Amino acid sequence: MRILFEKASILLRGDTSYNVLENAFLAVSGEFIEYIGTDRPAGDFDVVKDMKHRLLMPGLVNAHCHSSMVLLRGVGSDKPLHEWLFDSIFPIEAKLRPEDVVAGAALAFAELLASGVTSVSDMYFHPPLICELAEKVGIKLNANDAVTCPSELGEEGEEKIGRAVRLYEDWHGKANGRIRVDAALHSEYLNSESVMKHYLDLCRSHEACFTVHLSETEAEHRECMERHGLTPMAYFEALGYLETFPSYCAHCVYISEDDMRIMKRHGVSIIHNPSSNMKLGSGFAPVGEAVSRGINVALGTDGAASNNNLNMFEELHLAALTHKGFSKNPSLLGTSQLIDMATINGARAQGRFDTGVLKAGKKADIIALDLRPPHMFPRFDVPALICYSAQASDVVMTMVDGKILYEDGRYTTLDIEAVMKDAKDSAEYLLK
């Protein structure tokens, strides 16, 4: 199918900054962007859409999420991470049924698509079911079956590792590449060394990325050093994970200068989660310094239980404000760097190099923002509007691989009423 967007404002990425092409055309052919320019492209189109007063920009990438935790939205609020996790979250998660995970993921995918997310990295239970749902819905998904086994390698560890490997074998590259499967450990503190070494040995031949929670809290960082004499980042380097996989690590609040040198050496990405880190009182990741060192930094929402939403525009806004305020440096993290963090940097972290920017030949992962609301006017600086003014509710279209999945409040692959009913039923069961 060929689709033509006409009369659009189009956000384009230059060498060092973003600019806007006004009153322009963007043509999509199949899964790919075919043309961008101010002259109407030749040929016939199956669909022509008038995009006057709308901004076309790359879809957002949520590079760290626990999608089905939308069912626990707000549970355990105002507690620090360890207490929140062990006293509030784990007891409820012990009750989760497969149908609850699917209901939560469907609700999460609806929220993500309506707020402009075209690709999400998800870490949660029953990932094959989430892969099946993502294949049906059409969203891009980096899935994993994160290994958690604090005991020494035995029957339990073998079973969990085998399950994670099977997920890769069954789903990596499926749905025409929309679904990727990452190697994943929940964290250093929830796995024994023997389990982690065995998992690494089995994954060495896989063309996967590696993802893990890392240095999220001061206690986690300190206790790893007490156990191993190494920071979590140095420990994973010593195990061999960073040499085996392209890696992206969630949180990285307490990484050191030496850790950042390790990350730069191995091309490790940081996934910054400002809302979750602040809500749980975990602290402020050294994002400005990491960016200045050339480390790839992307954004994620974490789960809605510690956020309490999956709004990437909010993460973009908070990433800008918190680090400027904390550093007392208003020039830290310019708008182009911030937009990169929400788009192309996340795609790179996920191992997706055919998306993240609007350019002919790239995948048609495109969102449209309504430019007519009062908070989006006047438009002297559109990149600044995206970072400081735009709201998730301004998203009026989300396209993935050339297929419109959300437009003007309507979903093309989700029955939103059924999604809401199933989520309500599951939430009531879990919280009763």
Side-chain angles (χ1 to χ4, degrees), residues 37 69 95 113 141 154 193 284 291 308 325 329 372 386 391:
M69 288 185 84
K95 299 169 62 178
L113 290 172
L141 172 71
E193 186 167 301
F284 298 92
V291 170
N308 289 14
N329 179 4
R372 291 172 295 182
I386 293 169
Q391 305 294 316

Side-chain angles (χ1 to χ4, degrees), residues 7-214:
K7 304 176 186 176
S9 300
I10 303 176
L11 185 74
L12 300 178
R13 186 176 186 269
D15 292 335
T16 59
S17 62
Y18 284 86
N19 60 83
V20 177
L21 191 65
E22 298 287 359
N23 196 28
F25 298 86
L26 187 151
V28 172
S29 180
E31 301 173 13
F32 297 93
I33 297 172
E34 177 184 305
Y35 169 86
I36 299 174
T38 54
D39 296 324
R40 193 185 196 281
D44 297 326
F45 292 87
D46 300 287
V47 178
V48 177
K49 288 186 172 290
D50 186 344
M51 304 303 284
K52 188 176 181 180
H53 304 305
R54 293 187 171 184
L55 173 74
L56 299 182
M57 64 174 286
L60 307 182
V61 178
N62 186 342
H64 182 67
C65 187
H66 309 288
S67 294
S68 298
M69 288 185 84
V70 291
L71 298 177
L72 282 64
R73 199 188 304 267
V75 168
S77 290
D78 306 324
K79 294 180 180 179
L81 179 102
H82 191 276
E83 183 181 347
W84 168 81
L85 195 59
F86 284 86
D87 296 346
S88 298
I89 300 301
F90 284 169
I92 297 174
E93 287 185 331
K95 299 169 62 178
L96 277 168
R97 305 165 299 182
E99 59 264 36
D100 301 321
V101 172
V102 174
L107 179 63
F109 289 171
E111 183 176 352
L112 290 165
L113 290 172
S115 57
V117 171
T118 54
S119 186
V120 58
S121 292
D122 189 55
M123 180 187 286
Y124 211 57
F125 304 107
H126 302 293
L129 299 180
I130 297 178
C131 288
E132 289 177 10
L133 180 66
E135 183 177 33
K136 172 186 172 184
V137 172
I139 195 169
K140 289 186 172 173
L141 172 71
N142 273 51
N144 65 73
D145 198 333
V147 175
T148 57
C149 186
S151 60
E152 291 304 306
L153 182 65
E155 186 175 340
E156 179 189 7
E158 292 275 11
E159 191 278 328
K160 289 185 174 181
I161 291 170
R163 193 176 64 199
V165 172
R166 285 194 299 275
L167 181 73
Y168 179 90
E169 293 171 345
D170 291 344
W171 281 100
H172 186 70
K174 292 295 178 66
N176 201 26
R178 287 200 314 275
I179 297 174
R180 294 178 55 87
V181 175
D182 299 329
L185 299 167
H186 177 278
S187 55
E188 174 275 330
Y189 62 88
L190 285 182
N191 285 286
S192 68
E193 186 167 301
S194 61
V195 167
M196 290 189 280
K197 285 182 175 179
H198 185 60
Y199 182 42
L200 177 63
D201 287 341
L202 291 181
C203 290
R204 285 190 186 275
S205 62
H206 291 175
E207 296 180 358
C209 295
F210 169 64
T211 188
V212 65
H213 295 94
L214 188 135

Side-chain angles (χ1 to χ4, degrees), residues 294-309:
I295 295 171
N296 187 59
V297 179
L299 293 175
T301 59
D302 211 357
S306 62
N307 188 304
N308 289 14
N309 58 49

